[in-house]
Amino acid sequence: EVVVGTDPGGSGTTTGAAVSNASLEYELSRLVTAQKAYFEANDYYAADLGSIDFTPGSGVRVDLIQGDSDGFSAIAKSETGECAVFVGDVRSPRGYANTPEVPACRS
């Protein structure tokens, strides 16, 4: 049995060979929460994950594309999927992510 990623349902893990899009969306939702807290304290969004002490779940890579006083954007990837999110007055990192603060995945 291979255990990877995190389960938005709350059990802590997702079982299987691939990380689901739901797990990618969950990681981006966690990132939005962490970034909002960082913004409240600093008046700008973090430009790197280390500044907010954010570590994505197993099998998930999160790349911050932009982080500044205007907002932030990020992409979460696994071997099988990709999702994106943006907050504030910044450009979406991917065309499929159209609503601020709502993670969206490539179909």
Side-chain angles (χ1 to χ4, degrees):
E1 178 176 275
V2 177
V3 179
V4 295
T6 54
D7 174 15
S11 70
T13 59
T14 299
T15 303
V19 175
S20 69
N21 280 354
S23 290
L24 296 176
E25 289 175 335
Y26 172 75
E27 294 300 333
L28 289 176
S29 292
R30 286 182 51 232
L31 178 62
V32 168
T33 300
Q35 281 279 38
K36 285 183 171 185
Y38 188 86
F39 183 85
E40 286 297 316
N42 299 284
D43 290 328
Y44 60 91
Y45 293 95
D48 63 89
L49 298 178
S51 295
I52 54 175
D53 198 26
F54 181 87
T55 303
S58 177
V60 177
R61 180 175 134 198
V62 173
D63 294 322
L64 273 175
I65 307 305
Q66 179 178 349
D68 55 33
S69 60
D70 293 331
F72 81 92
S73 61
I75 297 170
K77 295 180 182 181
S78 68
E79 289 186 18
T80 57
E82 178 185 279
C83 301
V85 71
F86 66 103
V87 172
D89 190 19
V90 297
R91 187 174 161 196
S92 172
R94 295 289 192 258
Y96 55 79
N98 299 314
T99 305
E101 300 185 27
V102 179
C105 299
R106 180 171 53 197
S107 46

